[in-house]
Amino acid sequence: MKQSRRKFLKITGLATAAGAAVGYSDTLTAAARLRRRGNPAPDAIYGNAPAPEARINDSGQVVPNADFTVASTVCIGCTTHCGVRVKVENKSGTVVRAAGNPYHPLSSDPWLPYETPLRESLRWTSNHDESGLENRSTACARGNVVFDKIHDRFRVLTPLKRAGKRGEDKWIPISPEQLIEEVVNGGDLFGEGHVDGLAAIRDLKTLIDPDNPEYGTRANQLGILGTADEGRKDFMVFRFLQAFGSKNYSGHSSICGLSMRAGNAAFLSDFKKYPHLKPDFEHCEFLINFGTSPGQAGNPFKRQGKLLARARSEGNLRYVTVTPMLTNSDSIAAGDRSRWMPIRPGGDLALAMGMIRWIIENGRHNAAYLSVPSKASMERVGEPSFTNSSHLVVVTPGHQLEGRVLKASGDAGKEDFLVIDSTDGQLKSADQVDAARLEVDETIVYGGERLAVKSSFTLLKESAFRFTLEEYAQESGIPAEEIADLAHEFTSHGRKVAVDCHGNTMHTTGFYTTWAILSLSALVGSLNYKGGMSAGGGKFTDMKGAAYDLTDYPGKPKQPGIRIDRTRIAYEKTSEFKRNQAAGKPYPAKDQWYPFTNAIETGLITGSINHYPYPLKALISWNANFIYGESGGENTLAEALKDPKASIPLMIAIDPFINETSRLADYIVPDSVLYETWGELNPWGAWLTKTNAVRYPVVTPRQATFANGEPVCMDSFVIEIGKKLGLPGFGPQAIKASNGSLHPLERPEDFYLRVFENVALDAKSVPNADDEEIRLAGLQDYVPRLRRVSPENWRKVAYVMARGGRFEGKEGAYKESHLAKKYPGMISIYSETVGTSRSSLTAEKYSGVPTFYGARLVKGDLLVKRFPRSEYPLTAFSFKSNVVSSPNTASSRLRDLRYTSTIDIAARTAESLGLAHGDVVELTSPGGRIEGLLRVREGMHPEAIGVEHGFGRSGEGAITVQIGNETLEGLRFRKSGASINLLGFADPDRPGRIALSDFAVGSNSRQVIPVRIRKLPS
Ligand code: SF4
């Protein structure tokens, strides 16, 4: 070992040099003393660190260490989903380390050219010639330890069935076969009466409610809730839910960033695909982070932190972070390049509208860009994007076209918009005009009628001018001169400016907040510009590709009906509306409908509990922890779910842990964890080139197995259900190849390896992996499976797996001053979809342009009116750390790094209230309370109370559970800290118990919680 250390340079670990040791004699002495404590570590310098996975010898050759396998896969320690390389100890079969995958753009910048041999990639990241310093590819602190939860003793490894009442935390282990039999065929499963199984629920003929035929057939009474898409959502939705015949799937957006996503959808004129923008961090010159804190949280957490750090030190970046609390985004080292702007929680909308006002008032908007009215004119004049600023909106009160955008054909499906040509003042097709009149407020003749019209830009201007800068300052807590300064700087860098927002918009007016923030970027024209805003770099075709169409299969049923969360449809299209209209009282509906929202997670639960529009008969909750994750989830939903008859009769949780939500289930199906899982996915944000990452089990899943040897997990569970139910798309003749042949879906690999094959074959297919690459990537054991599933292309699939996916080179990011992958659609300054929609509760018309609304209840009452400052003088908001995240409580090592959370308050506020650092305090909201330790700090807005998200758990090992004869005692430290979501409360103006939400799109509100604080006796 000593001999080899002299001979070799390490790939990983610290560089050693005899000369350097002289200067570190104190440190070495201390290390030597430390080494004498407990069991001696195997190495004096590197302690218990595992040996390197490979070395570079004196000739510069890579010599792999046969004790380890290094596999390229994806970390799902947070929703960033970085490409990583995990080091697996062959003897124990356990993961001992995670590092970045140098081929993956989220982990390296620049990333390795895709055709680089694997062997060379090991040298590239090594200390050889110090190249590893330049090319380092990393996992973050969380990614480096979170895999310990694979071996957490609280993992569910066999199917569990509840033994007592729901939520009593008593379970019995059952066999995988019993699980499938009971959930498919139902029966008197719990001694509480008959429960329909999935076979009875899958009725594709009988209407749920003949009086409301638009609700669809009874198959819609199965709902599935997922979480952030970690690469398996398509399997669940395309292969299972759609084969079952239900429309009711929702991910976790509505408790994470739905306001942001919906605001992006409005801005980008696409409420179907819900695209969203991120800054081009690398070349941006001025960036405003509204609520987001790169370097502390956000997505992509690691990449944006790295690019931000580099851009501010080596590039030209200046940035402002607008948050109620000083975060890690701000850095003294960055000097005046970074600035923190303390804002009142929820004040972002007022700030953005104030900036819009100042920019327009001072003529700092890019009028020439905004005057380009169509894609055709955009291409003629060489712009990379265009807006509908000059499009004409009918404003004649009461006219049937009121709120509509004028089109030559009048056809809603066409995009033949009319504008006024600024050169001759004539009404023309937008396609024929290069510069349209921007400000319009006049009467025109259209279809023989005189119609009052205003341009989108005029409507935005009027909206922004409704309030003075001083009034916006009052609402945001940012002085008027600072709003003006910020707007001035934002408009002083040409197109190389960007805005970002995410979790800060999760409040009652978050949708309009996002739209207003994004409109700032439209005013300067930064979309699709290098250094501006990007909708992402796209992907290689995966699901519907060269080899297989994995979305379709023989016998796939139609899915009639509407969603239970009342999204994607206007109330005015329902039978209820028609009946009410016929009765002379079209409004109110029984509750709110969301015509331009794509999905609301807890809408599946509340819709069922309130029987509006219809109840679910079964719910599959797949790694979805809405009880903990939704502000008010515990307060509004948990009790109701405990009664199966009054809520959802059959609740199945697919989850590797018993958490706040799965503890309320009837069955828990164990799922795989991290590096045990399959998946294929694209980054969520801030990537500029085609990127597909793949994930396959690199360690053996620990769960019980089905009879065919497959570990029980989400994928194998739904395959077994699909086969038992006889669903189309499962079993021997299930998967459609492009040559018309059919292939089996019996195991997860039958699906995922074919997704990988599509990726490998897209466009110019990837090369074949040779035997050495297969060996270096540790894929030898996969060869028989690869040969079976992809007999012709298995070496190409192996090539993709060996690199952890398929990645376009960085040279594909830009074309001169524009992004190479441009968002192709129109920017909506005015949205006809929004501007012609109404609240189904009050008939209130939604503003078709960004506008200021105060924090409010769904029917319009301001929070400050209903919950006055005299009673609730402070406002609580949540934030995230760079270490802990809520799905990772079961990582004990992570909690070693960060044991607990605090309740944060500004020093001067604490002083005025007679509170001191370390006091035990109670926060009380209109619907909940929490206790915690007070942290008094500088760098807080004086009206704000900050609570870090991810603590105060009652799941994942934090509570005691009974499984069969075994009692698993909960761990105190996993409980520690406060959960801000316990402060959430129901909107008092809505029927049923529905947590406070965005009035227009229904996303959960957790950033503007009125609270009061008091010291508790210690
Ligand atoms: S940011 Fe960290 S925890 Fe998140 S996916 Fe990347 S390495 Fe894993």
Side-chain angles (χ1 to χ4, degrees):
M1 182 78 174
K2 278 179 188 159
Q3 177 69 10
S4 64
R5 179 163 289 115
R6 277 201 301 276
K7 276 194 167 173
F8 294 103
L9 288 167
K10 285 198 165 204
I11 278 184
T12 58
L14 302 171
T16 59
V22 177
Y24 292 102
S25 59
D26 286 354
T27 312
L28 292 175
T29 309
R33 278 200 205 111
L34 204 63
R35 196 174 174 233
R36 288 198 290 274
R37 293 188 189 159
N39 293 329
D43 189 286
I45 302 295
Y46 302 114
N48 288 314
E53 58 268 30
R55 296 165 184 272
I56 314 290
N57 67 16
D58 289 343
S59 322
Q61 291 169 326
V62 176
V63 182
N65 182 340
D67 292 341
F68 299 99
T69 296
V70 179
S72 295
T73 177
V74 180
C75 174
I76 42 180
C78 77
T79 55
T80 298
H81 303 144
C82 298
V84 288
R85 276 181 166 170
V86 295
K87 178 174 170 181
V88 181
E89 188 185 51
N90 293 334
K91 194 167 62 177
S92 62
T94 56
V95 176
V96 292
R97 184 168 183 261
N101 174 3
Y103 293 98
H104 195 298
L106 293 187
S107 292
S108 286
D109 195 274
W111 52 99
L112 265 180
Y114 192 59
E115 281 77 25
T116 308
L118 270 193
R119 190 173 279 275
E120 182 53 34
S121 75
L122 294 169
R123 192 187 348 260
W124 197 68
T125 48
S126 77
N127 273 355
H128 185 67
D129 292 338
E130 303 227 328
S131 69
L133 281 180
E134 182 62 28
N135 303 324
R136 71 180 66 182
S137 185
T138 52
C140 74
R142 179 167 46 222
N144 265 294
V145 298
V146 72
F147 51 82
D148 72 333
K149 73 183 200 181
I150 292 173
H151 291 278
D152 189 70
R153 69 186 174 90
F154 288 91
R155 260 191 80 175
V156 176
L157 296 174
T158 54
L160 300 179
K161 177 180 180 180
R162 71 175 161 93
K165 295 196 182 326
R166 267 195 197 163
E168 280 190 349
D169 299 317
K170 290 186 187 144
W171 303 91
I172 46 166
I174 57 171
S175 70
E177 290 69 33
Q178 184 184 343
L179 168 77
I180 299 298
E181 169 62 28
E182 293 189 5
V183 300
V184 168
N185 290 325
D188 186 4
L189 302 172
F190 309 99
E192 298 166 356
H194 179 82
V195 180
D196 275 351
L198 297 180
I201 296 168
R202 188 175 185 258
D203 177 345
L204 297 167
K205 292 205 175 101
T206 313
L207 290 174
I208 295 171
D209 181 352
D211 289 340
N212 298 283
E214 69 275 13
Y215 294 178
T217 62
R218 290 184 181 175
N220 271 336
Q221 291 181 289
L222 168 67
I224 299 183
L225 293 178
T227 180
D229 181 12
E230 36 77 305
R232 297 189 287 166
K233 187 186 101 178
D234 284 347
F235 181 79
M236 180 61 113
V237 173
F238 285 122
R239 301 303 308 195
F240 180 69
L241 189 70
Q242 292 185 0
F244 191 90
S246 170
K247 292 185 104 79
N248 285 315
Y249 177 86
S250 174
H252 82 157
S253 276
S254 66
I255 61 172
C256 177
L258 174 59
S259 293
M260 177 278 291
R261 295 298 300 266
N264 269 274
F267 181 73
L268 296 170
S269 322
D270 188 350
F271 283 112
K272 284 208 171 96
K273 293 194 189 131
Y274 261 59
H276 66 104
L277 300 178
K278 288 294 268 186
D280 172 11
F281 289 99
E282 193 169 4
H283 295 282
C284 193
E285 287 186 5
F286 188 68
L287 165 66
I288 308 178
N289 303 301
F290 286 88
T292 56
S293 303
Q296 166 139 343
N299 190 338
F301 169 57
K302 211 174 63 182
R303 177 168 167 79
Q304 69 184 11
K306 176 186 232 165
L307 293 184
L308 188 88
R310 188 191 293 163
R312 74 186 177 202
S313 56
E314 297 168 12
N316 291 320
L317 179 67
R318 294 169 60 82
Y319 62 96
V320 175
T321 304
V322 185
T323 53
M325 187 179 79
L326 182 65
T327 65
N328 293 339
S329 301
D330 209 50
S331 164
I332 292 171
D336 64 359
R337 282 173 163 233
S338 74
R339 189 152 52 99
W340 170 53
M341 188 171 267
I343 191 165
R344 177 178 289 143
D348 313 64
L349 178 54
L351 172 61
M353 290 308 299
M355 288 177 69
I356 291 172
R357 178 184 174 122
W358 187 91
I359 290 169
I360 295 174
E361 199 167 22
N362 291 278
R364 301 279 294 182
H365 55 285
N366 188 336
Y369 162 76
L370 294 168
S371 303
V372 177
S374 66
K375 193 167 198 153
S377 41
M378 171 193 92
E379 283 162 4
R380 281 196 299 270
V381 303
E383 283 287 353
S385 65
F386 74 104
T387 74
N388 69 359
S389 301
S390 57
H391 296 190
L392 304 171
V393 183
V394 177
V395 293
T396 306
H399 193 279
Q400 57 169 350
L401 291 178
E402 187 184 3
R404 301 272 169 212
V405 181
L406 272 196
K407 294 177 179 176
S409 63
D411 184 340
K414 290 198 172 158
E415 301 217 323
D416 49 350
F417 300 109
L418 293 171
V419 295
I420 296 174
D421 190 335
S422 61
T423 55
D424 58 13
Q426 297 298 307
L427 194 65
K428 294 181 188 170
S429 160
D431 282 350
Q432 298 165 359
V433 176
D434 287 348
R437 192 177 289 167
L438 201 49
E439 297 203 40
V440 180
D441 179 2
E442 56 191 72
T443 301
I444 59 157
V445 176
Y446 175 81
E449 274 189 277
R450 289 175 65 76
L451 286 178
V453 294
K454 291 182 181 180
S455 67
S456 302
F457 184 82
T458 296
L459 290 172
L460 177 66
K461 180 178 174 180
E462 288 178 356
S463 166
F465 280 52
R466 281 170 58 219
F467 299 98
T468 65
L469 215 54
E470 286 66 31
E471 285 169 320
Y472 287 126
Q474 188 68 32
E475 288 293 336
S476 64
I478 308 244
E481 54 278 16
E482 286 191 35
I483 298 176
D485 284 351
L486 191 62
H488 182 270
E489 181 153 18
F490 186 74
T491 51
S492 301
H493 295 266
R495 312 287 188 97
K496 293 194 166 193
V497 293
V499 288
D500 200 11
C501 63
H502 196 156
N504 64 308
T505 65
M506 292 298 286
H507 53 72
T508 59
T509 58
F511 164 69
Y512 281 102
T513 301
T514 306
W515 197 3
I517 288 170
L518 292 171
S519 296
L520 292 166
S521 73
L523 291 179
V524 294
S526 73
L527 177 62
N528 295 336
Y529 246 84
K530 187 176 186 176
M533 303 284 286
S534 159
K539 63 177 182 176
F540 293 95
T541 308
D542 44 14
M543 293 297 291
K544 220 171 167 171
Y548 304 96
D549 180 356
L550 293 155
T551 65
D552 199 15
Y553 29 89
K556 186 175 177 181
K558 295 249 178 305
Q559 297 170 278
I562 61 168
R563 291 172 54 87
I564 185 175
D565 53 11
R566 302 187 299 276
T567 60
R568 305 186 200 176
I569 182 171
Y571 161 62
E572 291 77 7
K573 294 200 170 135
T574 64
S575 303
E576 179 189 357
F577 174 79
K578 288 179 190 118
R579 285 193 297 271
N580 288 347
Q581 192 178 42
K585 203 160 179 265
Y587 299 92
K590 284 187 199 148
D591 198 358
Q592 191 74 312
W593 291 69
Y594 299 100
F596 46 89
T597 301
N598 62 351
I600 298 175
E601 181 175 23
T602 46
L604 270 70
I605 313 296
T606 55
S608 193
I609 292 171
N610 297 328
H611 285 219
Y612 183 63
Y614 52 85
L616 288 179
K617 289 190 166 182
L619 175 77
I620 298 177
S621 170
W622 167 41
N623 290 335
N625 191 359
F626 50 88
I627 294 292
Y628 179 78
E630 164 140 320
S631 177
E634 188 81 49
N635 298 335
T636 59
L637 298 176
E639 270 314 303
L641 275 175
K642 284 180 185 169
D643 182 349
K645 292 195 170 64
S647 59
I648 301 169
L650 179 62
M651 186 165 157
I652 303 158
I654 305 174
D655 208 300
F657 293 95
I658 300 174
N659 62 28
E660 290 81 349
T661 300
S662 59
R663 70 190 288 206
L664 298 173
D666 301 313
Y667 295 90
I668 301 181
V669 182
D671 200 4
S672 299
V673 170
L674 282 158
Y675 304 124
E676 300 168 338
T677 55
W678 291 92
E680 189 272 339
L681 68 164
N682 322 107
W684 183 86
W687 84 112
L688 303 177
T689 47
K690 284 185 185 180
T691 299
N692 296 57
V694 303
R695 210 171 63 243
Y696 52 94
V698 300
V699 290
T700 306
R702 299 177 58 215
Q703 307 89 282
T705 57
F706 285 110
N708 65 358
E710 282 296 327
V712 180
C713 63
M714 180 282 279
D715 318 81
S716 58
F717 172 64
V718 301
I719 288 172
E720 293 305 315
I721 291 182
K723 288 196 294 185
K724 182 110 179 163
L725 286 170
L727 295 186
F730 289 89
Q733 303 275 300
I735 292 178
K736 255 173 54 176
S738 45
N739 63 8
S741 57
L742 290 171
H743 302 267
L745 176 53
E746 306 272 5
R747 300 166 179 272
E749 68 199 34
D750 293 337
F751 174 80
Y752 290 103
L753 289 177
R754 289 186 169 92
V755 180
F756 301 173
E757 190 173 343
N758 276 345
V759 171
L761 298 183
D762 189 31
K764 182 172 174 280
S765 64
V766 304
N768 288 331
D770 59 24
D771 289 344
E772 185 197 46
E773 293 231 320
I774 287 171
R775 192 165 27 81
L776 278 175
L779 289 172
Q780 302 95 314
D781 290 350
Y782 272 94
V783 170
R785 295 192 251 179
L786 284 165
R787 283 180 182 275
R788 180 181 71 79
V789 177
S790 308
E792 286 162 23
N793 299 307
W794 71 271
R795 282 189 182 272
K796 294 189 189 306
V797 179
Y799 194 89
V800 169
M801 291 168 76
R803 284 158 180 72
R806 188 169 177 190
F807 313 105
E808 186 184 5
K810 190 165 179 177
E811 68 286 350
Y814 304 104
K815 271 195 186 147
E816 298 173 355
S817 61
H818 297 171
L819 301 181
K821 310 287 189 307
K822 296 185 184 68
Y823 178 71
M826 176 179 79
I827 290 174
S828 284
I829 297 297
Y830 173 83
S831 167
E832 182 179 279
T833 303
V834 180
T836 54
S837 295
R838 291 174 184 272
S839 162
S840 53
L841 283 171
T842 60
E844 172 190 6
K845 283 175 99 171
Y846 296 143
S847 170
V849 290
T851 198
F852 177 75
Y853 293 94
R856 52 179 275 178
L857 301 174
V858 72
K859 289 187 180 171
D861 261 9
L862 296 179
L863 291 191
V864 286
K865 181 177 157 211
R866 294 288 281 272
F867 311 113
R869 292 228 183 263
S870 54
E871 233 181 300
Y872 301 99
L874 299 167
T875 305
F877 71 99
S878 80
F879 64 95
K880 289 182 179 166
S881 81
N882 49 4
V883 179
V884 165
S885 60
S886 55
N888 292 321
T889 297
S891 167
S892 291
R893 280 204 251 162
L894 207 53
R895 292 299 288 264
D896 281 351
L897 294 177
R898 193 164 179 82
Y899 180 81
T900 193
S901 68
T902 53
I903 290 172
D904 291 357
I905 193 168
R908 61 178 151 141
T909 310
E911 190 181 1
S912 71
L913 296 171
L915 298 170
H917 190 75
D919 281 351
V920 179
V921 293
E922 176 193 65
L923 291 183
T924 306
S925 73
R929 62 174 290 283
I930 58 174
E931 293 173 9
L933 279 178
L934 193 69
R935 180 167 67 166
V936 176
R937 51 171 292 174
E938 300 296 341
M940 283 283 289
H941 190 281
E943 294 170 20
I945 291 279
V947 185
E948 182 178 334
H949 183 59
F951 293 85
R953 299 296 310 267
S954 52
E956 293 192 38
I959 51 161
T960 299
V961 292
Q962 182 84 29
I963 300 179
N965 294 326
E966 191 187 2
T967 302
L968 266 176
E969 290 289 340
L971 300 173
R972 210 165 138 218
F973 76 90
R974 291 202 179 167
K975 242 185 207 173
S976 74
S979 166
I980 186 169
N981 286 343
L982 294 176
L983 292 172
F985 56 95
D987 185 326
D989 288 352
R990 290 183 74 166
R993 291 179 59 74
I994 296 178
L996 192 66
S997 56
D998 184 300
F999 76 96
V1001 300
S1003 50
N1004 185 224
S1005 171
R1006 71 160 157 277
Q1007 295 296 24
V1008 185
I1009 306 287
V1011 289
R1012 59 175 175 264
I1013 189 168
R1014 77 180 175 106
K1015 183 177 171 181
L1016 295 175
S1018 43

